[in-house]
Amino acid sequence: MTIIRVPKAWKLPEAQVTSKSAYVNRRRFLKTIANASLGAGIVSALGCKGSSVPENNLVSSNQALTATLDQPSLEPFARNPAFKTVDRPITDEILAGQYNNYYEFGGSKSIWRASQALPTDNWQVTVTGLVKNPRTYDLDDLLKKFPLEERIYRLRCVEAWSMVLPWVGFPMKLLMAEVEPTDKARFVSFTSYYDPKISLAPVQSLGQKVPWPYTEGLRLEEMANELAFFAVGVYGEMLPKQYGAPIRAVLPWKYGFKGAKSIVKIDFVEQQPATFWNTLSPSEYGFEDNVNPNKPHPRWSQKTERFIGKGPDLSWEERPTLPYNGYEEYVASLYK
Ligand SMILES: Nc1nc2c(c(=O)[nH]1)N[C@H]1C(S)=C(S)[C@@H](COP(=O)(O)O)O[C@H]1N2
Ligand SMILES: [Mo]
């Protein structure tokens, strides 16, 4: 594992609870230093396919980047008291906005620029398959129909880095109540937007045959869990494109790859659906993978993670991986 260590001691945040106003202030601060070059560097240790290729120009803060993060506010929304805080601070917006996985736009973390090609106007999400009320929703329908709430969740990538993000969205179970899956439905499949014309040249590390579009899936009991969330925003505003605008799945007890971005189709099915990473490499990316320190990835340990949320200088702290990413009380019963 090759990592450039950024020499900055980890300090506990001023407060465990980062209030909305605190991060909004932080955000203003970050925007005022938007032109400062932060000059540090970090190397992606693994990559979903285990490469140790250095990330180029990862740490930067410039106007083009902050412009991508400047989105319409989603307020008013409730702040769900159950998810107001976790045991670590919210990741800086400028950092999180330039450290993304979105393979449609390239195989590095620095896809924020390329992902701006994603066309999000007049977005529609089709809910289909084994449901009583199939329907195609405009994004506005979804925003009007479901009360928005903010939830601060840990995010743990299978590559062993982690962040904390303040999502805005609605629980998946509310959509289920609307569309009413039939008794036959046992799984759900999410399909991400895909257009080979706007995506980058094929990511070489993925090999020859890549099963686009990106798909992911859940058992229906997982989808109905309290934690399962559709995010339409982050940091109080609509999702920037690099996060998977305008709607993506967030499943905080599972590895990040389960959270399909830029969803265009939600399909209720009887059989376990094929998924992108599972099709590419079934032994490395299981359909039902949950964050689990005791189940190593075939090519690396999952015992610890690199929490890269400390600040815009990209310093990070190695922390023990939590079973179910710290959400055991909500989800352990699903896996008895
Ligand atoms: N469509 C699509 N969704 C995706 C991915 C992707 O490459 N394409 N990457 C996944 C992975 S591996 C992770 S860790 C998260 C990253 O989300 P973030 O960039 O918002 O932190 O998105 C997931 N959803
Ligand atoms: Mo990931």
Side-chain angles (χ1 to χ4, degrees), residues 236-289:
E237 298 180 351
M238 293 181 83
L239 286 180
K241 293 185 179 183
Q242 54 268 48
Y243 283 88
I247 179 168
R248 57 90 58 86
V250 178
L251 305 154
W253 74 99
K254 292 183 169 289
Y255 291 118
F257 69 85
K258 296 295 297 180
K261 295 184 166 186
S262 306
I263 293 173
V264 292
K265 190 165 93 176
I266 301 172
D267 193 9
F268 289 83
V269 295
E270 193 173 353
Q271 305 294 328
Q272 181 178 305
T275 61
F276 182 85
W277 288 108
N278 188 251
T279 302
L280 278 171
S281 190
S283 67
E284 298 186 316
Y285 311 106
F287 181 85
E288 203 173 270
D289 270 1

Side-chain angles (χ1 to χ4, degrees), residues 48 96 99-104 111 155-159 161 163 165 167 192-193 212 214 242-244 248 255-262 276-277:
C48 277
Y99 195 88
N100 304 95
N101 274 334
Y102 202 165
Y103 277 78
E104 287 86 334
I111 54 73
L155 169 73
R156 171 61 151 81
C157 175
V158 71
E159 301 162 325
W161 53 265
M163 291 186 185
L165 295 171
W167 300 108
S192 295
Y193 182 89
W212 300 118
Y214 195 98
Q242 54 268 48
Y243 283 88
R248 57 90 58 86
Y255 291 118
F257 69 85
K258 296 295 297 180
K261 295 184 166 186
S262 306
F276 182 85
W277 288 108

Side-chain angles (χ1 to χ4, degrees), residues 7 10 72-73 88 155 241 249:
W10 169 262
S73 170
R88 50 193 83 173
L155 169 73
K241 293 185 179 183

Side-chain angles (χ1 to χ4, degrees), residues 220-235:
L220 279 207
E221 295 75 26
E222 296 177 312
M223 187 186 193
N225 186 268
E226 172 62 21
L227 296 178
F229 202 61
F230 286 117
V232 294
V234 70
Y235 298 98

Side-chain angles (χ1 to χ4, degrees), residues 15-248:
Q16 291 297 335
V17 183
T18 307
S19 69
K20 162 96 174 143
S21 64
Y23 77 65
V24 167
N25 289 335
R26 181 91 186 122
R27 178 187 164 93
R28 286 211 188 95
F29 167 71
L30 286 166
K31 286 190 174 178
T32 62
I33 59 158
N35 286 312
S37 165
L38 295 164
I42 194 171
V43 170
S44 168
L46 307 163
C48 277
K49 296 299 285 184
S51 78
S52 56
V53 176
E55 300 289 344
N56 291 326
N57 306 322
L58 179 68
V59 186
S60 65
S61 182
N62 59 47
Q63 274 173 340
L65 171 65
T66 52
T68 70
L69 304 179
D70 220 345
Q71 297 293 326
S73 170
L74 281 168
E75 285 185 84
F77 48 78
R79 295 170 63 206
N80 189 318
F83 308 108
K84 258 166 85 171
T85 178
V86 292
D87 58 347
R88 50 193 83 173
I90 293 173
T91 303
D92 278 288
E93 187 183 4
I94 298 281
L95 165 56
Q98 64 185 290
Y99 195 88
N100 304 95
N101 274 334
Y102 202 165
Y103 277 78
E104 287 86 334
F105 298 103
S108 82
K109 295 289 174 287
S110 318
I111 54 73
W112 63 268
R113 205 186 284 275
S115 67
Q116 301 312 307
L118 180 77
T120 50
D121 288 350
N122 306 314
W123 194 268
Q124 292 191 317
V125 183
T126 298
V127 184
T128 183
L130 302 171
V131 288
K132 293 191 187 130
N133 313 310
R135 188 176 155 184
T136 295
Y137 292 89
D138 292 331
L139 184 68
D140 283 349
D141 299 334
L142 294 172
L143 296 182
K144 270 187 227 134
K145 181 153 298 261
F146 302 111
L148 297 183
E149 56 178 86
E150 182 180 68
R151 295 185 177 199
I152 294 166
Y153 276 165
R154 298 183 194 85
L155 169 73
R156 171 61 151 81
C157 175
V158 71
E159 301 162 325
W161 53 265
S162 65
M163 291 186 185
V164 172
L165 295 171
W167 300 108
V168 180
F170 55 92
M172 289 189 182
K173 63 183 179 187
L174 294 187
L175 179 85
M176 293 173 79
E178 277 288 313
V179 300
E180 296 184 76
T182 66
D183 293 344
K184 267 193 145 181
R186 289 183 51 232
F187 294 90
V188 65
S189 158
F190 304 114
T191 304
S192 295
Y193 182 89
Y194 184 65
D195 177 355
K197 292 194 293 297
I198 62 154
S199 289
L200 288 187
V203 176
Q204 273 185 0
S205 63
L206 297 180
Q208 291 292 308
K209 282 204 172 136
V210 184
W212 300 118
Y214 195 98
T215 49
E216 256 306 334
L218 297 169
R219 277 196 285 130
L220 279 207
E221 295 75 26
E222 296 177 312
M223 187 186 193
N225 186 268
E226 172 62 21
L227 296 178
F229 202 61
F230 286 117
V232 294
V234 70
Y235 298 98
E237 298 180 351
M238 293 181 83
L239 286 180
K241 293 185 179 183
Q242 54 268 48
Y243 283 88
I247 179 168
R248 57 90 58 86

